[in-house]
Amino acid sequence: MRPILTTLPALLGALVPALAPSQVQAVSPIAEVICDQTPRLENRLKTTMNSEREGLGLRGPEQVMELWTTPGGDWTMVVTYATGKSCIVAMGEAWQGGLRAQDPT
């Protein structure tokens, strides 16, 4: 039987590359789009992601925050600038709309 101290380095040398994270990374459906001209980004959200604008609000005199959702519950937060550029700032899943508090009276 070989001593454990001599077989352990060989075992680790074989296992570490197998357990290391893969070089293949997950690709987001919009990985190549972070910011774009507003009409192009809106078109991409509508056609590629099947999203619809669910809501929006002012973030200042020159910015609008928009929430886009899909029928399946995915959501995308977009900031639109007065310059005509829009940027995706967050994405997620399991969106639940219409959760307004009920009036107790």
Side-chain angles (χ1 to χ4, degrees):
M1 183 158 92
R2 295 175 67 182
I4 249 185
L5 291 178
T6 60
T7 57
L8 187 57
L11 180 61
L12 287 176
L15 283 179
V16 170
L19 297 176
S22 171
Q23 295 299 324
V24 177
Q25 296 193 9
V27 176
S28 164
I30 57 165
E32 69 278 5
V33 176
I34 295 173
C35 293
D36 205 345
Q37 293 301 309
T38 299
R40 278 193 293 217
L41 187 60
E42 287 180 354
N43 185 54
R44 183 80 179 252
L45 288 164
K46 290 175 185 175
T47 59
T48 304
M49 298 185 63
N50 193 29
S51 294
E52 291 185 18
R53 187 183 298 117
E54 182 165 322
L56 56 86
L58 294 176
R59 186 166 184 260
E62 297 186 15
Q63 296 177 9
V64 175
M65 296 300 297
E66 300 176 355
L67 175 68
W68 292 72
T69 61
T70 68
D74 294 333
W75 59 268
T76 305
M77 184 69 68
V78 175
V79 61
T80 298
Y81 299 94
T83 61
K85 183 168 87 171
S86 292
C87 298
I88 294 171
V89 295
M91 296 177 73
E93 58 187 24
W95 180 261
Q96 298 179 17
L99 298 178
R100 295 190 185 266
Q102 296 296 321
D103 187 3
T105 59

